[in-house]
Amino acid sequence: MSDLSELYQELILDHQKNPRNFGQLEGANHHAEGFNALCGDKISLDLKTDASGVIEDLKFKGSGCAISKASASMMTAALKGKKIDEAEILFHQFHDLVTGKSAPESGEVLGKLKVFAGVRDYPARVKCASLAWHTLEAALHDDQKVVSSDEGDD
Ligand code: ZN
Protein backbone atom coordinates (compact mmCIF):
# COMPACT_ATOMS: atom_id res chain seq x y z
CA MET A 1 0.00 0.00 0.00
CA SER A 2 2.98 2.34 0.31
CA ASP A 3 2.73 3.43 -3.31
CA LEU A 4 -0.75 4.65 -2.54
CA SER A 5 0.31 6.77 0.38
CA GLU A 6 0.09 9.97 -1.60
CA LEU A 7 -3.57 9.25 -2.25
CA TYR A 8 -4.37 9.17 1.41
CA GLN A 9 -4.19 12.84 1.88
CA GLU A 10 -5.56 14.47 4.94
CA LEU A 11 -8.88 15.28 3.34
CA ILE A 12 -9.50 11.72 2.22
CA LEU A 13 -8.59 10.30 5.62
CA ASP A 14 -10.82 12.79 7.36
CA HIS A 15 -13.83 11.86 5.24
CA GLN A 16 -13.13 8.17 5.62
CA LYS A 17 -12.99 8.44 9.41
CA ASN A 18 -15.87 10.89 9.74
CA PRO A 19 -18.10 10.33 6.72
CA ARG A 20 -20.50 13.19 6.04
CA ASN A 21 -24.16 12.49 5.32
CA PHE A 22 -23.89 8.88 6.44
CA GLY A 23 -27.10 6.95 7.07
CA GLN A 24 -30.56 6.48 5.67
CA LEU A 25 -32.55 9.43 4.38
CA GLU A 26 -36.16 9.84 5.45
CA GLY A 27 -38.43 10.82 2.58
CA ALA A 28 -35.94 9.99 -0.15
CA ASN A 29 -37.38 9.88 -3.68
CA HIS A 30 -34.36 8.38 -5.44
CA HIS A 31 -32.32 5.38 -4.43
CA ALA A 32 -29.64 3.18 -5.93
CA GLU A 33 -27.07 0.69 -4.81
CA GLY A 34 -23.61 0.21 -6.17
CA PHE A 35 -21.06 -2.52 -5.88
CA ASN A 36 -17.45 -2.58 -7.00
CA ALA A 37 -16.62 -6.23 -7.49
CA LEU A 38 -12.90 -5.56 -7.90
CA CYS A 39 -12.46 -4.19 -4.40
CA GLY A 40 -15.66 -5.23 -2.62
CA ASP A 41 -16.89 -1.67 -2.05
CA LYS A 42 -20.63 -1.31 -1.48
CA ILE A 43 -22.75 1.81 -1.37
CA SER A 44 -26.42 2.52 -0.86
CA LEU A 45 -27.45 6.05 -1.83
CA ASP A 46 -30.65 7.95 -1.00
CA LEU A 47 -31.55 11.31 -2.53
CA LYS A 48 -34.36 13.75 -2.03
CA THR A 49 -34.99 16.13 -4.90
CA ASP A 50 -37.62 18.85 -5.08
CA ALA A 51 -39.94 19.76 -7.96
CA SER A 52 -37.46 22.29 -9.36
CA GLY A 53 -34.70 19.69 -9.65
CA VAL A 54 -32.64 20.66 -6.62
CA ILE A 55 -31.01 17.95 -4.52
CA GLU A 56 -32.37 18.93 -1.13
CA ASP A 57 -30.58 16.19 0.74
CA LEU A 58 -28.70 12.96 0.19
CA LYS A 59 -27.21 10.25 2.36
CA PHE A 60 -25.17 7.14 1.82
CA LYS A 61 -24.43 3.92 3.63
CA GLY A 62 -21.86 1.39 2.74
CA SER A 63 -18.67 -0.41 3.42
CA GLY A 64 -15.42 -0.51 1.57
CA CYS A 65 -11.96 0.92 1.26
CA ALA A 66 -10.90 4.40 2.34
CA ILE A 67 -11.06 5.77 -1.19
CA SER A 68 -14.62 4.60 -1.83
CA LYS A 69 -15.92 5.90 1.49
CA ALA A 70 -14.12 9.21 1.25
CA SER A 71 -15.34 9.65 -2.31
CA ALA A 72 -18.96 8.97 -1.33
CA SER A 73 -18.70 11.31 1.66
CA MET A 74 -17.17 14.14 -0.36
CA MET A 75 -19.66 13.62 -3.17
CA THR A 76 -22.64 13.99 -0.83
CA ALA A 77 -21.08 17.11 0.71
CA ALA A 78 -20.49 18.59 -2.75
CA LEU A 79 -23.98 17.84 -4.08
CA LYS A 80 -26.25 18.97 -1.27
CA GLY A 81 -28.24 21.94 -2.51
CA LYS A 82 -27.04 21.56 -6.09
CA LYS A 83 -29.32 21.16 -9.09
CA ILE A 84 -29.48 17.78 -10.81
CA ASP A 85 -28.00 19.43 -13.93
CA GLU A 86 -25.02 20.61 -11.91
CA ALA A 87 -24.64 17.14 -10.40
CA GLU A 88 -24.47 15.65 -13.90
CA ILE A 89 -21.74 18.13 -14.88
CA LEU A 90 -19.79 17.29 -11.74
CA PHE A 91 -20.17 13.59 -12.47
CA HIS A 92 -18.64 14.00 -15.93
CA GLN A 93 -15.84 16.25 -14.71
CA PHE A 94 -15.03 13.87 -11.86
CA HIS A 95 -15.08 10.91 -14.20
CA ASP A 96 -12.72 12.62 -16.66
CA LEU A 97 -10.44 13.58 -13.77
CA VAL A 98 -10.06 10.10 -12.26
CA THR A 99 -9.79 8.32 -15.60
CA GLY A 100 -7.11 10.73 -16.79
CA LYS A 101 -9.17 12.17 -19.64
CA SER A 102 -8.66 15.68 -18.31
CA ALA A 103 -5.66 17.39 -16.75
CA PRO A 104 -5.49 17.19 -12.93
CA GLU A 105 -5.81 20.95 -12.68
CA SER A 106 -8.86 21.22 -14.92
CA GLY A 107 -12.47 21.02 -13.83
CA GLU A 108 -12.70 24.18 -11.80
CA VAL A 109 -16.13 23.29 -10.45
CA LEU A 110 -14.74 20.19 -8.74
CA GLY A 111 -13.05 22.08 -5.89
CA LYS A 112 -11.94 19.70 -3.15
CA LEU A 113 -12.91 16.69 -5.24
CA LYS A 114 -9.69 17.25 -7.17
CA VAL A 115 -7.79 15.34 -4.46
CA PHE A 116 -8.95 12.22 -6.29
CA ALA A 117 -6.88 13.11 -9.36
CA GLY A 118 -4.16 10.82 -7.95
CA VAL A 119 -6.20 7.66 -8.56
CA ARG A 120 -5.66 7.98 -12.32
CA ASP A 121 -2.27 6.33 -11.75
CA TYR A 122 -3.91 3.33 -10.03
CA PRO A 123 -6.45 1.79 -12.42
CA ALA A 124 -7.89 -0.52 -9.77
CA ARG A 125 -8.63 2.52 -7.58
CA VAL A 126 -10.52 4.38 -10.29
CA LYS A 127 -13.54 2.18 -9.67
CA CYS A 128 -13.31 2.80 -5.93
CA ALA A 129 -13.32 6.56 -6.46
CA SER A 130 -16.07 6.56 -9.06
CA LEU A 131 -18.45 4.03 -7.47
CA ALA A 132 -20.46 6.65 -5.55
CA TRP A 133 -20.82 8.73 -8.71
CA HIS A 134 -22.04 5.82 -10.80
CA THR A 135 -24.50 5.05 -8.04
CA LEU A 136 -25.63 8.67 -8.14
CA GLU A 137 -26.23 8.41 -11.88
CA ALA A 138 -28.27 5.26 -11.34
CA ALA A 139 -30.30 6.95 -8.60
CA LEU A 140 -31.01 10.08 -10.65
CA HIS A 141 -32.11 8.00 -13.62
CA ASP A 142 -34.26 5.85 -11.35
CA ASP A 143 -32.20 2.93 -12.33
CA GLN A 144 -32.35 1.22 -8.97
CA LYS A 145 -30.43 -1.84 -9.95
CA VAL A 146 -27.09 -2.63 -8.45
CA VAL A 147 -24.36 -0.96 -10.42
CA SER A 148 -21.80 -3.32 -11.79
CA SER A 149 -18.49 -1.53 -12.00
CA ASP A 150 -17.01 -4.57 -13.62
CA GLU A 151 -17.12 -3.39 -17.19
CA GLY A 152 -14.37 -1.24 -18.60
CA ASP A 153 -12.91 1.82 -16.96
CA ASP A 154 -16.16 3.54 -16.30
ZN1 ZN B 1 -12.22 0.17 -3.05
Side-chain angles (χ1 to χ4, degrees):
M1 294 294 274
S2 61
D3 59 340
L4 284 172
S5 60
E6 281 179 42
L7 285 179
Y8 292 83
Q9 298 175 30
E10 212 173 304
L11 199 54
I12 292 178
L13 271 176
D14 174 43
H15 276 265
Q16 187 247 329
K17 280 187 199 156
N18 306 296
R20 318 299 198 270
N21 308 302
F22 192 84
Q24 193 147 3
L25 183 63
E26 293 276 323
N29 56 357
H30 295 278
H31 172 80
E33 296 188 2
F35 177 57
N36 172 14
L38 273 182
C39 180
D41 308 316
K42 281 184 195 163
I43 178 173
S44 167
L45 184 68
D46 290 329
L47 286 105
K48 189 177 178 187
T49 56
D50 71 11
S52 61
V54 171
I55 300 170
E56 285 187 328
D57 205 359
L58 70 173
K59 282 192 177 183
F60 80 100
K61 285 190 297 189
S63 58
C65 66
I67 296 282
S68 70
K69 279 169 94 172
S71 178
S73 172
M74 289 176 71
M75 180 190 81
T76 58
L79 294 182
K80 204 182 268 197
K82 290 266 195 317
K83 291 191 157 205
I84 291 172
D85 299 359
E86 295 174 297
E88 298 273 4
I89 292 168
L90 274 174
F91 166 73
H92 291 295
Q93 292 211 357
F94 186 84
H95 190 257
D96 287 351
L97 182 80
V98 298
T99 54
K101 283 180 192 144
S102 63
E105 60 281 357
S106 71
E108 54 289 350
V109 298
L110 286 172
K112 288 177 187 170
L113 295 167
K114 284 188 200 172
V115 298
F116 291 99
V119 303
R120 60 176 58 204
D121 298 324
Y122 306 93
R125 294 281 158 182
V126 171
K127 291 180 197 297
C128 301
S130 58
L131 177 65
W133 292 86
H134 284 291
T135 309
L136 168 80
E137 277 288 287
L140 289 177
H141 295 281
D142 286 322
D143 205 8
Q144 305 199 354
K145 67 176 190 251
V146 171
V147 175
S148 166
S149 299
D150 216 10
E151 11 170 310
D153 253 357
D154 54 5

